[in-house]
Amino acid sequence: MRSLDRRLIAALLLTAVSAAGIAQDDLLPLDPVTGLKMSGDWQLVRSNCIACHSPKLITQQRGSADQWLRMIRWMQDKQNLWQFEPEVEERIVAYLAENYPPPTNRRRAAIPPDLMPPNPYATN
Ligand code: HEC
């Protein structure tokens, strides 16, 4: 297959996937041990975040970078979580915020009035 064709098919596929509302990261492989999305710095999270509790506590949680950082601070204050090197902490938080972000609004947009069926109750 010509490389242009391949690129075209890849682009179409990406468009189709986004159009279907499937976040592209839903297609990331999951670590069979922890269920973490295997992208970027996932191994940093595996080595630092599952000593005390199930990784499910992480994968079922969502948050912005700020919210993830606050959870880490809370565990450090209250749950004996150790301190991280600033650079390591930054990478952990970036991984979490990117792969487990706050939920987006999944409702479809409202239908424009001109595409609505006639209103059977209209009085005029
Ligand atoms: C030193 C032990 C320890 C380590 C290591 C640890 N945690 Fe925790 N974490 C806890 C404890 C204890 C809780 C509370 C568990 C519970 O409520 O059952 C908790 C709870 C959580 C929760 C749930 C918070 C909530 O509001 O429900 C999340 C998310 C979480 N941890 C993420 C992480 C992440 C991300 C890391 C790595 C940066 C991590 N944990 C590392 C001890 C730890």
Side-chain angles (χ1 to χ4, degrees):
M1 207 189 291
R2 296 202 341 261
S3 78
L4 183 65
D5 293 346
R6 271 206 212 108
R7 263 185 287 152
L8 192 67
I9 289 171
L12 284 174
L13 235 121
L14 266 179
T15 313
V17 166
S18 348
I22 304 167
Q24 276 149 38
D25 67 1
D26 283 351
L27 306 175
L28 285 173
L30 303 182
D31 170 29
V33 177
T34 59
L36 287 167
K37 292 181 191 171
M38 295 167 77
S39 101
D41 284 319
W42 72 276
Q43 281 159 312
L44 266 184
V45 173
R46 188 168 76 170
S47 45
N48 283 290
C49 301
I50 64 167
C52 306
H53 51 65
S54 158
K56 283 218 173 73
L57 221 49
I58 302 166
T59 56
Q60 74 191 6
Q61 187 63 262
R62 295 292 179 273
S64 62
D66 191 50
Q67 290 166 323
W68 280 110
L69 187 61
R70 271 188 273 141
M71 284 184 246
I72 289 177
R73 290 286 176 269
W74 169 78
M75 284 180 280
Q76 288 169 332
D77 283 353
K78 308 279 183 204
Q79 312 292 353
N80 279 332
L81 174 58
W82 48 83
Q83 300 294 315
F84 297 106
E85 293 291 324
E87 188 244 339
V88 169
E89 185 171 88
E90 239 167 66
R91 286 164 61 190
I92 289 177
V93 168
Y95 167 86
L96 292 169
E98 183 177 332
N99 292 287
Y100 304 97
T104 47
N105 187 348
R106 287 177 182 267
R107 294 192 62 188
R108 64 167 173 75
I111 298 174
D114 60 318
L115 294 181
M116 292 289 279
N119 178 354
Y121 307 108
T123 49
N124 52 359

mmCIF file of all heavy atoms in Angstrom, residues 62-95:
data_model
loop_
_atom_site.group_PDB
_atom_site.id
_atom_site.type_symbol
_atom_site.label_atom_id
_atom_site.label_comp_id
_atom_site.label_asym_id
_atom_site.label_seq_id
_atom_site.Cartn_x
_atom_site.Cartn_y
_atom_site.Cartn_z
ATOM 1 N N ARG A 62 -10.752 10.091 39.380
ATOM 2 C CA ARG A 62 -10.498 11.059 38.305
ATOM 3 C C ARG A 62 -10.117 12.381 38.931
ATOM 4 O O ARG A 62 -10.595 12.713 40.020
ATOM 5 C CB ARG A 62 -11.758 11.266 37.436
ATOM 6 C CG ARG A 62 -12.207 10.028 36.661
ATOM 7 C CD ARG A 62 -11.216 9.646 35.570
ATOM 8 N NE ARG A 62 -11.611 8.451 34.824
ATOM 9 C CZ ARG A 62 -11.317 7.209 35.192
ATOM 10 N NH1 ARG A 62 -10.631 6.992 36.301
ATOM 11 N NH2 ARG A 62 -11.692 6.183 34.461
ATOM 12 N N GLY A 63 -9.277 13.148 38.228
ATOM 13 C CA GLY A 63 -8.932 14.455 38.764
ATOM 14 C C GLY A 63 -8.035 15.249 37.844
ATOM 15 O O GLY A 63 -7.365 14.692 36.971
ATOM 16 N N SER A 64 -8.034 16.549 38.063
ATOM 17 C CA SER A 64 -7.094 17.434 37.370
ATOM 18 C C SER A 64 -5.743 17.272 38.059
ATOM 19 O O SER A 64 -5.643 16.652 39.125
ATOM 20 C CB SER A 64 -7.564 18.868 37.491
ATOM 21 O OG SER A 64 -7.587 19.226 38.863
ATOM 22 N N ALA A 65 -4.697 17.866 37.477
ATOM 23 C CA ALA A 65 -3.367 17.792 38.087
ATOM 24 C C ALA A 65 -3.433 18.301 39.529
ATOM 25 O O ALA A 65 -2.881 17.704 40.448
ATOM 26 C CB ALA A 65 -2.378 18.605 37.266
ATOM 27 N N ASP A 66 -4.160 19.407 39.710
ATOM 28 C CA ASP A 66 -4.270 19.992 41.038
ATOM 29 C C ASP A 66 -4.955 19.041 42.020
ATOM 30 O O ASP A 66 -4.528 18.884 43.164
ATOM 31 C CB ASP A 66 -5.065 21.305 40.889
ATOM 32 C CG ASP A 66 -5.014 22.110 42.151
ATOM 33 O OD1 ASP A 66 -3.895 22.300 42.649
ATOM 34 O OD2 ASP A 66 -6.083 22.535 42.627
ATOM 35 N N GLN A 67 -6.021 18.398 41.548
ATOM 36 C CA GLN A 67 -6.746 17.471 42.428
ATOM 37 C C GLN A 67 -5.894 16.246 42.773
ATOM 38 O O GLN A 67 -5.891 15.780 43.906
ATOM 39 C CB GLN A 67 -8.060 17.042 41.766
ATOM 40 C CG GLN A 67 -9.072 18.179 41.703
ATOM 41 C CD GLN A 67 -10.240 17.889 40.769
ATOM 42 O OE1 GLN A 67 -10.074 17.274 39.710
ATOM 43 N NE2 GLN A 67 -11.423 18.328 41.153
ATOM 44 N N TRP A 68 -5.154 15.739 41.786
ATOM 45 C CA TRP A 68 -4.279 14.591 42.067
ATOM 46 C C TRP A 68 -3.203 14.983 43.064
ATOM 47 O O TRP A 68 -2.892 14.231 43.989
ATOM 48 C CB TRP A 68 -3.650 14.067 40.770
ATOM 49 C CG TRP A 68 -4.580 13.180 39.988
ATOM 50 C CD1 TRP A 68 -5.190 13.453 38.809
ATOM 51 C CD2 TRP A 68 -4.996 11.852 40.348
ATOM 52 N NE1 TRP A 68 -5.970 12.398 38.419
ATOM 53 C CE2 TRP A 68 -5.866 11.404 39.330
ATOM 54 C CE3 TRP A 68 -4.731 11.006 41.431
ATOM 55 C CZ2 TRP A 68 -6.467 10.135 39.357
ATOM 56 C CZ3 TRP A 68 -5.332 9.742 41.452
ATOM 57 C CH2 TRP A 68 -6.187 9.326 40.434
ATOM 58 N N LEU A 69 -2.653 16.176 42.884
ATOM 59 C CA LEU A 69 -1.603 16.615 43.797
ATOM 60 C C LEU A 69 -2.164 16.736 45.217
ATOM 61 O O LEU A 69 -1.505 16.363 46.190
ATOM 62 C CB LEU A 69 -1.011 17.947 43.324
ATOM 63 C CG LEU A 69 0.213 18.404 44.114
ATOM 64 C CD1 LEU A 69 1.349 17.398 44.005
ATOM 65 C CD2 LEU A 69 0.688 19.775 43.624
ATOM 66 N N ARG A 70 -3.402 17.228 45.330
ATOM 67 C CA ARG A 70 -3.993 17.358 46.669
ATOM 68 C C ARG A 70 -4.212 15.983 47.300
ATOM 69 O O ARG A 70 -4.057 15.824 48.513
ATOM 70 C CB ARG A 70 -5.296 18.156 46.614
ATOM 71 C CG ARG A 70 -5.007 19.666 46.769
ATOM 72 C CD ARG A 70 -6.253 20.479 46.908
ATOM 73 N NE ARG A 70 -6.754 20.827 45.584
ATOM 74 C CZ ARG A 70 -8.029 20.851 45.233
ATOM 75 N NH1 ARG A 70 -8.967 20.542 46.101
ATOM 76 N NH2 ARG A 70 -8.373 21.189 44.010
ATOM 77 N N MET A 71 -4.572 14.973 46.492
ATOM 78 C CA MET A 71 -4.728 13.621 47.053
ATOM 79 C C MET A 71 -3.378 13.112 47.562
ATOM 80 O O MET A 71 -3.293 12.487 48.621
ATOM 81 C CB MET A 71 -5.276 12.661 45.984
ATOM 82 C CG MET A 71 -6.766 12.830 45.720
ATOM 83 S SD MET A 71 -7.346 11.589 44.539
ATOM 84 C CE MET A 71 -7.778 12.623 43.138
ATOM 85 N N ILE A 72 -2.321 13.411 46.791
ATOM 86 C CA ILE A 72 -0.985 12.972 47.211
ATOM 87 C C ILE A 72 -0.597 13.671 48.525
ATOM 88 O O ILE A 72 -0.119 13.033 49.462
ATOM 89 C CB ILE A 72 0.049 13.241 46.093
ATOM 90 C CG1 ILE A 72 -0.197 12.268 44.936
ATOM 91 C CG2 ILE A 72 1.473 13.120 46.618
ATOM 92 C CD1 ILE A 72 0.695 12.472 43.737
ATOM 93 N N ARG A 73 -0.872 14.993 48.606
ATOM 94 C CA ARG A 73 -0.545 15.729 49.837
ATOM 95 C C ARG A 73 -1.324 15.167 51.030
ATOM 96 O O ARG A 73 -0.804 15.046 52.127
ATOM 97 C CB ARG A 73 -0.865 17.216 49.667
ATOM 98 C CG ARG A 73 0.045 17.943 48.712
ATOM 99 C CD ARG A 73 1.435 18.196 49.299
ATOM 100 N NE ARG A 73 2.295 18.804 48.306
ATOM 101 C CZ ARG A 73 3.084 18.136 47.454
ATOM 102 N NH1 ARG A 73 3.157 16.815 47.523
ATOM 103 N NH2 ARG A 73 3.813 18.771 46.559
ATOM 104 N N TRP A 74 -2.580 14.816 50.792
ATOM 105 C CA TRP A 74 -3.399 14.253 51.872
ATOM 106 C C TRP A 74 -2.788 12.925 52.348
ATOM 107 O O TRP A 74 -2.663 12.693 53.546
ATOM 108 C CB TRP A 74 -4.842 14.054 51.384
ATOM 109 C CG TRP A 74 -5.683 13.256 52.334
ATOM 110 C CD1 TRP A 74 -6.253 13.713 53.502
ATOM 111 C CD2 TRP A 74 -6.010 11.869 52.224
ATOM 112 N NE1 TRP A 74 -6.919 12.682 54.113
ATOM 113 C CE2 TRP A 74 -6.801 11.536 53.359
ATOM 114 C CE3 TRP A 74 -5.739 10.872 51.298
ATOM 115 C CZ2 TRP A 74 -7.293 10.253 53.582
ATOM 116 C CZ3 TRP A 74 -6.240 9.593 51.512
ATOM 117 C CH2 TRP A 74 -7.005 9.293 52.642
ATOM 118 N N MET A 75 -2.377 12.086 51.393
ATOM 119 C CA MET A 75 -1.771 10.805 51.801
ATOM 120 C C MET A 75 -0.455 11.037 52.527
ATOM 121 O O MET A 75 -0.119 10.316 53.460
ATOM 122 C CB MET A 75 -1.575 9.898 50.585
ATOM 123 C CG MET A 75 -2.874 9.267 50.111
ATOM 124 S SD MET A 75 -2.636 8.213 48.685
ATOM 125 C CE MET A 75 -2.566 9.422 47.381
ATOM 126 N N GLN A 76 0.279 12.067 52.106
ATOM 127 C CA GLN A 76 1.540 12.368 52.792
ATOM 128 C C GLN A 76 1.278 12.875 54.214
ATOM 129 O O GLN A 76 1.982 12.507 55.147
ATOM 130 C CB GLN A 76 2.360 13.388 51.987
ATOM 131 C CG GLN A 76 2.954 12.753 50.729
ATOM 132 C CD GLN A 76 3.553 13.758 49.760
ATOM 133 O OE1 GLN A 76 3.125 14.914 49.705
ATOM 134 N NE2 GLN A 76 4.536 13.318 48.994
ATOM 135 N N ASP A 77 0.230 13.701 54.369
ATOM 136 C CA ASP A 77 -0.096 14.233 55.700
ATOM 137 C C ASP A 77 -0.654 13.169 56.623
ATOM 138 O O ASP A 77 -0.329 13.123 57.799
ATOM 139 C CB ASP A 77 -1.171 15.336 55.587
ATOM 140 C CG ASP A 77 -0.582 16.633 55.094
ATOM 141 O OD1 ASP A 77 0.662 16.712 54.973
ATOM 142 O OD2 ASP A 77 -1.362 17.569 54.815
ATOM 143 N N LYS A 78 -1.548 12.340 56.077
ATOM 144 C CA LYS A 78 -2.353 11.475 56.945
ATOM 145 C C LYS A 78 -2.040 9.991 56.841
ATOM 146 O O LYS A 78 -2.430 9.231 57.717
ATOM 147 C CB LYS A 78 -3.854 11.644 56.611
ATOM 148 C CG LYS A 78 -4.351 13.064 56.590
ATOM 149 C CD LYS A 78 -4.632 13.562 57.980
ATOM 150 C CE LYS A 78 -5.208 14.973 57.931
ATOM 151 N NZ LYS A 78 -4.966 15.694 59.181
ATOM 152 N N GLN A 79 -1.443 9.572 55.741
ATOM 153 C CA GLN A 79 -1.341 8.124 55.503
ATOM 154 C C GLN A 79 0.098 7.643 55.337
ATOM 155 O O GLN A 79 0.342 6.584 54.764
ATOM 156 C CB GLN A 79 -2.160 7.728 54.256
ATOM 157 C CG GLN A 79 -3.563 8.289 54.217
ATOM 158 C CD GLN A 79 -4.478 7.697 55.272
ATOM 159 O OE1 GLN A 79 -4.120 6.760 55.976
ATOM 160 N NE2 GLN A 79 -5.673 8.247 55.395
ATOM 161 N N ASN A 80 1.035 8.440 55.801
ATOM 162 C CA ASN A 80 2.441 8.008 55.746
ATOM 163 C C ASN A 80 3.007 7.825 54.349
ATOM 164 O O ASN A 80 3.974 7.075 54.184
ATOM 165 C CB ASN A 80 2.624 6.678 56.491
ATOM 166 C CG ASN A 80 2.743 6.887 57.972
ATOM 167 O OD1 ASN A 80 3.196 7.945 58.413
ATOM 168 N ND2 ASN A 80 2.314 5.907 58.733
ATOM 169 N N LEU A 81 2.400 8.448 53.376
ATOM 170 C CA LEU A 81 3.011 8.375 52.045
ATOM 171 C C LEU A 81 4.310 9.178 52.093
ATOM 172 O O LEU A 81 4.368 10.266 52.654
ATOM 173 C CB LEU A 81 2.061 8.957 50.987
ATOM 174 C CG LEU A 81 2.640 9.070 49.564
ATOM 175 C CD1 LEU A 81 3.092 7.706 49.033
ATOM 176 C CD2 LEU A 81 1.626 9.691 48.613
ATOM 177 N N TRP A 82 5.337 8.596 51.500
ATOM 178 C CA TRP A 82 6.657 9.252 51.524
ATOM 179 C C TRP A 82 6.694 10.465 50.603
ATOM 180 O O TRP A 82 5.810 10.671 49.780
ATOM 181 C CB TRP A 82 7.725 8.227 51.106
ATOM 182 C CG TRP A 82 7.354 7.461 49.873
ATOM 183 C CD1 TRP A 82 7.520 7.839 48.579
ATOM 184 C CD2 TRP A 82 6.721 6.181 49.831
ATOM 185 N NE1 TRP A 82 7.038 6.875 47.732
ATOM 186 C CE2 TRP A 82 6.549 5.846 48.460
ATOM 187 C CE3 TRP A 82 6.289 5.267 50.809
ATOM 188 C CZ2 TRP A 82 5.954 4.637 48.051
ATOM 189 C CZ3 TRP A 82 5.705 4.078 50.383
ATOM 190 C CH2 TRP A 82 5.544 3.783 49.024
ATOM 191 N N GLN A 83 7.763 11.270 50.775
ATOM 192 C CA GLN A 83 7.982 12.442 49.915
ATOM 193 C C GLN A 83 8.611 11.966 48.606
ATOM 194 O O GLN A 83 9.394 11.027 48.605
ATOM 195 C CB GLN A 83 8.945 13.424 50.596
ATOM 196 C CG GLN A 83 8.446 13.936 51.942
ATOM 197 C CD GLN A 83 7.209 14.799 51.821
ATOM 198 O OE1 GLN A 83 7.141 15.679 50.958
ATOM 199 N NE2 GLN A 83 6.221 14.552 52.673
ATOM 200 N N PHE A 84 8.261 12.643 47.523
ATOM 201 C CA PHE A 84 8.862 12.322 46.224
ATOM 202 C C PHE A 84 9.862 13.398 45.846
ATOM 203 O O PHE A 84 9.733 14.547 46.264
ATOM 204 C CB PHE A 84 7.781 12.271 45.134
ATOM 205 C CG PHE A 84 6.764 11.197 45.352
ATOM 206 C CD1 PHE A 84 5.480 11.514 45.778
ATOM 207 C CD2 PHE A 84 7.079 9.872 45.117
ATOM 208 C CE1 PHE A 84 4.522 10.523 45.978
ATOM 209 C CE2 PHE A 84 6.132 8.878 45.319
ATOM 210 C CZ PHE A 84 4.860 9.202 45.748
ATOM 211 N N GLU A 85 10.831 13.017 45.030
ATOM 212 C CA GLU A 85 11.646 14.026 44.359
ATOM 213 C C GLU A 85 10.673 14.884 43.547
ATOM 214 O O GLU A 85 9.767 14.321 42.907
ATOM 215 C CB GLU A 85 12.622 13.363 43.379
ATOM 216 C CG GLU A 85 13.704 12.527 44.026
ATOM 217 C CD GLU A 85 14.704 13.388 44.784
ATOM 218 O OE1 GLU A 85 14.998 14.497 44.297
ATOM 219 O OE2 GLU A 85 15.158 12.957 45.857
ATOM 220 N N PRO A 86 10.853 16.215 43.545
ATOM 221 C CA PRO A 86 9.907 17.079 42.805
ATOM 222 C C PRO A 86 9.704 16.636 41.362
ATOM 223 O O PRO A 86 8.580 16.657 40.859
ATOM 224 C CB PRO A 86 10.568 18.456 42.859
ATOM 225 C CG PRO A 86 11.462 18.422 44.049
ATOM 226 C CD PRO A 86 11.887 16.997 44.236
ATOM 227 N N GLU A 87 10.770 16.200 40.731
ATOM 228 C CA GLU A 87 10.665 15.821 39.315
ATOM 229 C C GLU A 87 9.819 14.542 39.158
ATOM 230 O O GLU A 87 9.015 14.426 38.225
ATOM 231 C CB GLU A 87 12.084 15.643 38.758
ATOM 232 C CG GLU A 87 12.160 15.439 37.259
ATOM 233 C CD GLU A 87 12.716 14.080 36.892
ATOM 234 O OE1 GLU A 87 13.402 13.462 37.749
ATOM 235 O OE2 GLU A 87 12.448 13.625 35.762
ATOM 236 N N VAL A 88 9.997 13.624 40.090
ATOM 237 C CA VAL A 88 9.223 12.378 40.046
ATOM 238 C C VAL A 88 7.747 12.687 40.303
ATOM 239 O O VAL A 88 6.854 12.196 39.604
ATOM 240 C CB VAL A 88 9.763 11.370 41.099
ATOM 241 C CG1 VAL A 88 8.832 10.189 41.260
ATOM 242 C CG2 VAL A 88 11.175 10.938 40.733
ATOM 243 N N GLU A 89 7.503 13.537 41.300
ATOM 244 C CA GLU A 89 6.130 13.896 41.634
ATOM 245 C C GLU A 89 5.428 14.546 40.438
ATOM 246 O O GLU A 89 4.284 14.228 40.124
ATOM 247 C CB GLU A 89 6.131 14.850 42.821
ATOM 248 C CG GLU A 89 4.737 15.186 43.308
ATOM 249 C CD GLU A 89 4.799 15.964 44.611
ATOM 250 O OE1 GLU A 89 4.892 17.208 44.559
ATOM 251 O OE2 GLU A 89 4.777 15.326 45.675
ATOM 252 N N GLU A 90 6.153 15.439 39.780
ATOM 253 C CA GLU A 90 5.595 16.115 38.613
ATOM 254 C C GLU A 90 5.191 15.108 37.536
ATOM 255 O O GLU A 90 4.137 15.217 36.924
ATOM 256 C CB GLU A 90 6.649 17.039 38.006
ATOM 257 C CG GLU A 90 6.247 18.491 37.940
ATOM 258 C CD GLU A 90 7.453 19.374 37.630
ATOM 259 O OE1 GLU A 90 7.991 19.250 36.498
ATOM 260 O OE2 GLU A 90 7.866 20.136 38.513
ATOM 261 N N ARG A 91 6.050 14.127 37.313
ATOM 262 C CA ARG A 91 5.756 13.138 36.265
ATOM 263 C C ARG A 91 4.587 12.250 36.672
ATOM 264 O O ARG A 91 3.761 11.877 35.839
ATOM 265 C CB ARG A 91 7.008 12.325 35.950
ATOM 266 C CG ARG A 91 8.011 13.174 35.148
ATOM 267 C CD ARG A 91 9.393 12.580 35.130
ATOM 268 N NE ARG A 91 9.412 11.252 34.503
ATOM 269 C CZ ARG A 91 10.476 10.443 34.541
ATOM 270 N NH1 ARG A 91 11.573 10.818 35.166
ATOM 271 N NH2 ARG A 91 10.433 9.268 33.956
ATOM 272 N N ILE A 92 4.506 11.909 37.951
ATOM 273 C CA ILE A 92 3.383 11.090 38.425
ATOM 274 C C ILE A 92 2.068 11.860 38.245
ATOM 275 O O ILE A 92 1.092 11.348 37.697
ATOM 276 C CB ILE A 92 3.577 10.698 39.914
ATOM 277 C CG1 ILE A 92 4.702 9.668 40.037
ATOM 278 C CG2 ILE A 92 2.280 10.162 40.514
ATOM 279 C CD1 ILE A 92 5.027 9.260 41.471
ATOM 280 N N VAL A 93 2.066 13.108 38.681
ATOM 281 C CA VAL A 93 0.856 13.924 38.589
ATOM 282 C C VAL A 93 0.460 14.127 37.124
ATOM 283 O O VAL A 93 -0.716 14.031 36.770
ATOM 284 C CB VAL A 93 1.049 15.283 39.317
ATOM 285 C CG1 VAL A 93 -0.080 16.241 38.988
ATOM 286 C CG2 VAL A 93 1.144 15.057 40.818
ATOM 287 N N ALA A 94 1.461 14.359 36.261
ATOM 288 C CA ALA A 94 1.154 14.563 34.842
ATOM 289 C C ALA A 94 0.536 13.302 34.246
ATOM 290 O O ALA A 94 -0.454 13.371 33.505
ATOM 291 C CB ALA A 94 2.428 14.957 34.079
ATOM 292 N N TYR A 95 1.093 12.144 34.592
ATOM 293 C CA TYR A 95 0.527 10.884 34.091
ATOM 294 C C TYR A 95 -0.923 10.720 34.562
ATOM 295 O O TYR A 95 -1.813 10.383 33.775
ATOM 296 C CB TYR A 95 1.363 9.682 34.571
ATOM 297 C CG TYR A 95 0.651 8.368 34.355
ATOM 298 C CD1 TYR A 95 0.735 7.705 33.133
ATOM 299 C CD2 TYR A 95 -0.156 7.807 35.354
ATOM 300 C CE1 TYR A 95 0.039 6.516 32.916
ATOM 301 C CE2 TYR A 95 -0.852 6.626 35.152
ATOM 302 C CZ TYR A 95 -0.753 5.981 33.934
ATOM 303 O OH TYR A 95 -1.451 4.817 33.718
#
